[in-house]
Amino acid sequence: MKVTVVGAGAVGASCAEYIAIKDFASEVVLVDIKEGYAEGKAMDLMQTASLNGFDTKITGTTGDYSKTAGSDIAVITSGIPRKPGMTREELIGINAGIVKTVSSSLIEHSPNVTLIVVSNPMDTMTYLVHKTTNLPKNKIIGMGGALDSARFKYRLAEAMEAPISDIDGMVIGGHSDKGMVPLTSHATRNSIRVSEFLSTERLEQVAADTKVGGATLTGLLGTSAWYAPGAAVSALVQAIACDQKKMFPCSTYLEGEYGLNDICIGVPVILGKNGIEKIVDVPLSDAEKAKMQESAEGVTKTNGLLEI
Ligand SMILES: NC(=O)C1=CN([C@@H]2O[C@H](COP(=O)(O)OP(=O)(O)OC[C@H]3O[C@@H](n4cnc5c(N)ncnc54)[C@H](O)[C@@H]3O)[C@@H](O)[C@H]2O)C=CC1
Ligand SMILES: O=C([O-])CC(=O)C(=O)O
């Protein structure tokens, strides 16, 4: 199993590290545009192998895509992150060009690759890959909901003073400060609805804190987060590489599902060796349907800024 990660920055390197530590891939290739950077990150990570007990071979290259040839899965994290006070949508001007070039170079050398798009604004970047490449839609996956759901569970556990392993919950919709739809009515603690433990007001606060999870960290760190994003990407890569048939909310191209068309947005999917193997239709309340519709309108507006 060969995995390429483009962008050896904060998220790309974190993702490569988690993939290596989980030890399911034979090879990880890091690619960056900055001279020597991916090579340096790869060497540093390889020097953790004997300490962390993995056999995955990690190599780096400055833009030589021939080294990525035959990749089964590739992750696109190349591009700029936001700074405090910015929205993800403001990154479109620079990141769209990068994602377009990178996806085309990856596919040229690995025509059967499954692509995981991370660069922001992620739903629009996923849509861009869908519109500008010939990959089938099951092989184009946007990562956002897996991360947002992990943050939702963190906030729920915090509010209930419960261990996170007791909590289950999911966030669908667009990966944006306003567009996320935390499914509070479906979230549970050991199969008991969280509304049994938390007041409506506290649950609303949990949902609000979840939606600005990325912005909160950007404010604290001065740039956006990388540990949880890297872990979320590695979980998706593992689900595909190990044919786990796990369910995650991912951004995928919709053709009528959830009443939406011609858009990539976060919905629950089953991930296995064929990438997105199924889109799962979860029954939503009227309020959740309205929020999903509003979220889709936001993503469509950002898609309109693309020059395809
Ligand atoms: N979808 C999600 O849930 C998340 C998305 N992100 C996004 O991921 C992206 C990366 O974030 P960070 O790793 O924090 O940024 P970073 O600045 O640490 O790393 C980005 C790397 O991409 C490289 N790069 C730029 N253009 C390139 C090109 N054409 N080819 C190869 N490499 C290139 C840069 O040299 C840099 O090393 C950002 O757009 C950020 O907003 C970050 C966290 C979560
Ligand atoms: O907040 C950002 O810009 C990066 C990101 O998508 C996240 O951490 O959720």
Side-chain angles (χ1 to χ4, degrees):
M1 176 62 53
K2 179 169 175 176
V3 182
T4 287
V5 179
V6 184
V11 178
S14 164
C15 157
E17 182 177 18
Y18 286 120
I19 291 171
I21 287 175
K22 293 177 185 178
D23 211 14
F24 59 83
S26 48
E27 195 178 350
V28 173
V29 180
L30 277 171
V31 184
D32 206 281
I33 201 169
K34 250 187 277 174
E35 190 65 44
Y37 197 59
E39 290 87 336
K41 288 278 181 108
M43 191 186 290
D44 194 9
L45 282 169
M46 278 306 281
Q47 291 169 2
T48 71
S50 61
L51 299 162
N52 285 332
F54 62 78
D55 292 319
T56 304
K57 183 181 164 204
I58 310 170
T59 56
T61 169
T62 306
D64 179 0
Y65 281 84
S66 68
K67 303 264 174 64
T68 72
S71 293
D72 301 286
I73 303 170
V75 179
I76 303 180
T77 74
S78 44
I80 53 164
R82 63 173 158 168
K83 298 232 172 329
M86 288 174 75
T87 65
R88 296 177 179 88
E89 289 75 6
E90 288 174 66
L91 305 173
I92 190 171
I94 294 180
N95 287 355
I98 294 174
V99 169
K100 196 170 166 191
T101 315
V102 164
S103 54
S104 139
S105 305
L106 283 168
I107 294 165
E108 190 187 329
H109 292 86
S110 306
N112 297 316
V113 73
T114 297
L115 279 188
I116 301 180
V117 181
V118 180
S119 310
N120 275 315
M122 180 278 295
D123 297 290
T124 295
M125 294 301 104
T126 308
Y127 182 78
L128 174 69
V129 172
H130 182 83
K131 290 289 176 192
T132 56
T133 71
N134 55 6
L135 279 186
K137 66 175 197 165
N138 59 302
K139 285 175 173 274
I140 303 172
I141 304 166
M143 193 296 288
L147 169 64
D148 303 332
S149 301
R151 288 179 176 152
F152 184 36
K153 290 181 239 186
Y154 162 79
R155 287 298 186 189
L156 283 168
E158 178 187 55
M160 285 189 270
E161 296 181 22
I164 293 182
S165 56
D166 262 12
I167 313 293
D168 204 2
M170 197 162 55
V171 178
I172 62 171
H175 180 63
S176 67
D177 298 343
K178 291 192 180 139
M180 288 178 210
V181 184
L183 297 179
T184 42
S185 65
H186 291 267
T188 60
R189 176 177 187 180
N190 287 348
S191 83
I192 310 294
R193 284 181 202 280
V194 293
S195 53
E196 297 291 331
F197 301 94
L198 296 172
S199 66
T200 308
E201 294 72 34
R202 190 68 183 90
L203 258 178
E204 277 169 7
Q205 188 59 51
V206 164
D209 290 344
T210 301
K211 290 170 72 169
V212 294
T216 303
L217 284 161
T218 304
L220 292 168
L221 297 166
T223 183
S224 56
W226 55 89
Y227 294 120
V233 180
S234 76
L236 303 195
V237 172
Q238 186 173 23
I240 299 163
C242 303
D243 195 23
Q244 287 177 326
K245 318 285 187 203
K246 278 199 174 211
M247 182 165 82
F248 292 94
C250 291
S251 191
T252 184
Y253 188 73
L254 298 184
E255 290 169 296
E257 299 90 347
Y258 288 83
L260 299 172
N261 274 295
D262 193 33
I263 187 170
C264 291
I265 194 166
V267 294
V269 303
I270 304 298
L271 288 186
K273 64 176 186 310
N274 301 309
I276 293 181
E277 301 200 340
K278 189 177 184 316
I279 294 174
V280 182
D281 226 332
V282 177
L284 300 180
S285 67
D286 287 346
E288 286 162 348
K289 273 186 203 152
K291 283 183 191 158
M292 193 64 178
Q293 187 59 41
E294 201 181 316
S295 180
E297 282 162 19
V299 173
T300 303
K301 196 171 159 207
T302 310
N303 291 349
L305 302 173
L306 288 172
E307 289 161 17
I308 303 178

